[in-house]
């Protein structure tokens, strides 16, 4: 008698996931900034140090249309399928759900027959998404216990509210809008959850009309971009609480909750402070009265000559760090921070989440510094650490350097030359660039990275 067995890349706990075999491939969203010429693509990069193709693109699938602006994509299924209240033992980590933030088109990509040669098996058109959810500009994809969840920046007219919608894990049909009662929530961006506490956390950026043409200085200086977190009841799909950082802190973007389901805290990256152009990381946590938030890391802006800055920053005579991504190792010990403006990549020991301790720093690219990679020490780089992904065992970190085409053009008007690098992390803290790993993408720009078999930001766990 045949028995269903869970996908071997599903793990009950983060501790067990950390013992998984090393990743051999990475899937990378590749953006074509000249959207009238050719489509975006999903690239496959060889990560096996024993392979003759190590650090090279070994596969690519082009999207069927131009102008998608592929952004944050994710797996159809993950370790959350082992949760006791919503088990899906027949589902496997096979498909990548790849949305286009500009086109509102969602691509379902099959990686199983040949992981180096993925194939598009379904396209959800923007008209279908709009008709079934009222949303546009899909942004972030997470595999949940009972379906595929995705966030959207706004409504069909390009304003708000944005929110979350759900896709069926088997048919990939869009089921509908997730929220039953959104309360005061209007802006959207990232979302994550504490499955052990039946809680969803969402963050804020801006509507498609607010972000689609780059940073709007008028909106920014008025404090009009997102500056709140929202707390939700997961099973009831209802808004519970808003945590307001204050309008000084603009763009509350990436969320990284503790992986241990018994821990009720997580980290939030904030792009910029209107007071001094600093960036910051905040800790949300559950206390006796509910949920609270506090700033635990602050990264100052760096003075710079005005003539070395893009027009948007010349009046400030400084380079803002611009925290555009963060990531947390599966043991909840190390937090990694991408400073896309200054070109700094930071490692903090967050064993005590209320008192992070800086343990490592790397420079690469940057608006002013243009720091080179050890593989090509004479070649200046632009862009900066951006989308970051951590291996399940925490020993390897990968990051790319493109943010979002309209924003790339404002902060790096010379045009970003895109790359992907690898960082080796020490068990007790500290890190260094791998001098033998440097991937260039030519006319395309690398953005989100997903690792074969899962990574530190793809899975949720119901056991500790």
């Amino acid at each position: 008698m045949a028995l269903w067995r869970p996908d071997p890349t599903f793990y009950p706990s983060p501790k067990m996931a950390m013992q998984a075999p090393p990743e051999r491939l990475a899937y990378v969203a590749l953006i074509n900034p000249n959207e009238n010429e050719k489509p975006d693509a999903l690239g496959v990069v060889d990560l096996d140090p024993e392979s003759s193709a190590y650090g090279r693109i070994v596969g690519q699938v082009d999207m069927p249309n131009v102008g998608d602006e592929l952004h944050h994509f994710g797996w159809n299924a993950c370790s959350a399928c082992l949760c006791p209240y919503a088990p899906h033992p027949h589902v496997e980590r096979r498909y990548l759900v790849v949305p286009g933030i500009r086109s509102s088109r969602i691509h379902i990509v099959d990686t199983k027959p040949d992981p180096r040669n993925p194939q598009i098996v379904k396209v959800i058109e923007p008209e279908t998404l709009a008709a079934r959810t009222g949303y546009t500009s899909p942004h972030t994809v997470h595999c949940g216990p009972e379906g595929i969840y995705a966030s959207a920046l706004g409504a069909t007219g390009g304003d708000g509210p944005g929110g979350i919608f759900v896709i069926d894990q088997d048919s990939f049909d869009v089921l509908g809008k997730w929220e039953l009662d959104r309360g005061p929530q209007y802006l959207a961006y990232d979302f994550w959850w504490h499955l052990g506490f039946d809680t969803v956390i969402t963050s804020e950026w801006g509507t498609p009309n607010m972000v689609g043409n780059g940073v709007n200085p008028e909106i920014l200086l008025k404090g009009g971009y997102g500056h709140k977190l929202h707390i939700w009841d997961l099973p009831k799909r209802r808004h519970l609480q808003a945590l307001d950082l204050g309008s000084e802190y603009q763009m509350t973007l990436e969320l990284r909750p503790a992986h241990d389901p018994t821990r009720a805290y997580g980290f939030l990256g904030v792009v910029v402070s209107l007071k001094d152009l600093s960036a910051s990381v905040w800790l949300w946590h559950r206390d006796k009265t509910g949920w609270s938030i506090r700033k635990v890391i602050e990264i100052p802006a760096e003075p710079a000559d005005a003539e070395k800055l893009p027009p948007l920053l010349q009046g400030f005579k400084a380079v803002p760090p611009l925290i555009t991504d963060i990531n947390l190792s599966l043991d909840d010990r190390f937090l990694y921070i991408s400073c896309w403006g200054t070109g700094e990549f930071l490692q903090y020991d967050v064993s005590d989440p209320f008192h992070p301790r800086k343990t490592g720093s790397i420079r690469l690219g940057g608006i002013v510094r243009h720091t080179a990679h050890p593989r090509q020490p004479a070649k200046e780089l632009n862009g900066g650490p951006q989308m970051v992904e951590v291996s399940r065992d925490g020993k390897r970190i990968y990051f790319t350097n493109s943010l979002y085409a309209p924003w790339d053009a404002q902060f790096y008007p010379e045009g970003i030359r895109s790359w992907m690098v690898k960082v080796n992390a020490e068990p007790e803290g500290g890190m260094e660039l791998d001098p033998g790993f440097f991937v260039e993408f030519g006319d395309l720009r690398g953005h989100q990275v997903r690792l074969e078999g899962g990574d530190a930001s793809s899975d949720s766990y119901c056991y500790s």
Side-chain angles (χ1 to χ4, degrees), residues 220-361:
L220 178 67
L221 295 176
K222 289 182 179 179
Y225 287 105
H227 49 85
K228 298 176 183 177
L229 284 193
H230 297 276
I231 312 295
W232 305 76
D233 184 304
L234 174 57
K236 293 182 179 179
R237 298 156 58 188
R238 298 181 184 278
H239 188 278
L240 296 176
Q241 186 180 358
L243 303 176
D244 194 342
L245 281 60
S247 59
E248 172 193 332
Y249 298 101
Q250 287 288 281
M251 302 178 222
T252 54
L253 297 189
E254 301 297 336
L255 302 171
R256 297 291 178 253
H259 297 285
D260 186 333
T262 68
R263 296 173 175 171
Y265 67 83
F267 298 94
L268 161 71
V270 178
V271 175
V272 68
S273 164
L274 297 181
K275 179 181 178 181
D276 54 13
L277 295 188
S278 65
S280 53
V281 175
W282 296 62
L283 177 77
W284 78 79
H285 59 97
R286 192 171 185 241
D287 55 29
K288 294 180 181 179
T289 60
W291 295 86
S292 302
I293 192 165
R294 60 184 284 185
K295 182 165 60 175
V296 292
I297 298 172
E298 185 170 87
I299 303 169
E302 298 179 357
D305 295 334
E307 62 269 18
K308 296 181 179 181
L309 296 170
L312 185 67
L313 298 175
Q314 287 176 353
F316 298 101
K317 297 183 179 179
V319 181
L322 301 177
I323 292 178
T324 52
D325 198 16
I326 59 176
N327 215 320
L328 183 64
S329 60
L330 281 187
D331 58 4
D332 294 333
R333 180 171 181 186
F334 291 108
L335 183 72
Y336 295 92
I337 303 172
S338 294
C339 298
W340 187 64
T342 55
E344 188 173 21
F345 185 67
L346 292 159
Q347 179 195 62
Y348 278 81
D349 186 327
V350 291
S351 301
D352 178 354
F354 291 89
H355 301 95
R357 180 172 58 88
K358 183 179 173 181
T359 50
S361 172

Side-chain angles (χ1 to χ4, degrees), residues 70-104:
L70 303 184
H71 214 59
H72 295 189
F73 63 99
W75 292 103
N76 66 303
C78 63
S79 299
C81 290
L82 300 182
C83 289
Y85 55 85
H88 285 66
H90 61 288
V91 180
E92 58 184 334
R93 190 195 308 267
R94 173 173 177 169
Y95 301 95
L96 288 166
V97 181
V98 187
I101 192 174
R102 186 170 291 276
S103 69
S104 296

